[in-house]
Amino acid sequence: MTLLPIIVAPDPRLKIETRPVEAVDDDLRAFLDDMLETMYAADGIGLAAPQVGDERSVIVIDLARQDEDPAPMKMINPEIVWYSDEERVHDEGCLSLPEHYAEVVRPDGIRVTYLDETGAEQQLEAEGILSTCIQHEIDHLHGVLFVDHVSSIKRNMILRKLKKAKKQAAA
Ligand code: NI
């Protein structure tokens, strides 16, 4: 397995629209394993393909705590087909916006359809943190970051700080 470099915002590669996977094959399965390894190494709970510079529509998630066994989820071509009216607020972070957090309001419940790593169609209903996490990762597949859900003042502040940190790191 390979650790993949994680792209930090602002970066045009995080703003792309991904393309649906047409064939679930060994190449894709290896990529999903690389994504999971990359996510674990960065102490993340979710990762979407554009964050590692890939244009395929796939996400990985693992919400298991450190004292629990890993519970990796891999979703190919995920699509939300239902949202609840109830909402929940979560202080979201993102491996592509390191050290920045903001409260985001999203629907609490969702139903998501996707392909699993055998290519079989699956459907899942989720609420709470799992729902928030799935929505956050699927956003990435459409070029949307959590800061796109908060005020432009807050968004610009975070992106400006990240830009400055990048410049300093490059200097
Ligand atoms: Ni993210």
Side-chain angles (χ1 to χ4, degrees), residues 48-107:
Q51 294 181 272
V52 291
D54 195 280
E55 297 187 358
R56 286 173 283 186
S57 184
V58 297
I59 63 173
V60 295
I61 290 171
D62 191 335
L63 294 176
R65 291 190 308 267
Q66 294 215 318
D67 57 342
E68 294 175 329
D69 289 335
M73 301 176 71
K74 304 166 183 176
M75 293 184 173
I76 300 157
N77 301 344
E79 195 179 331
I80 297 172
V81 295
W82 173 81
Y83 293 97
S84 71
D85 292 331
E86 301 82 58
E87 295 179 325
R88 88 183 280 271
V89 182
H90 192 86
D91 198 29
E92 295 190 22
C94 179
L95 293 176
S96 292
L97 296 103
E99 290 168 49
H100 291 278
Y101 300 87
E103 288 197 337
V104 178
V105 182
R106 299 181 187 269

Side-chain angles (χ1 to χ4, degrees), residues 46-48 51 93-97 136-137 140 144-146:
L47 189 70
Q51 294 181 272
C94 179
L95 293 176
S96 292
L97 296 103
H136 174 121
E137 298 314 329
H140 276 298
V144 176
L145 304 175
F146 80 78

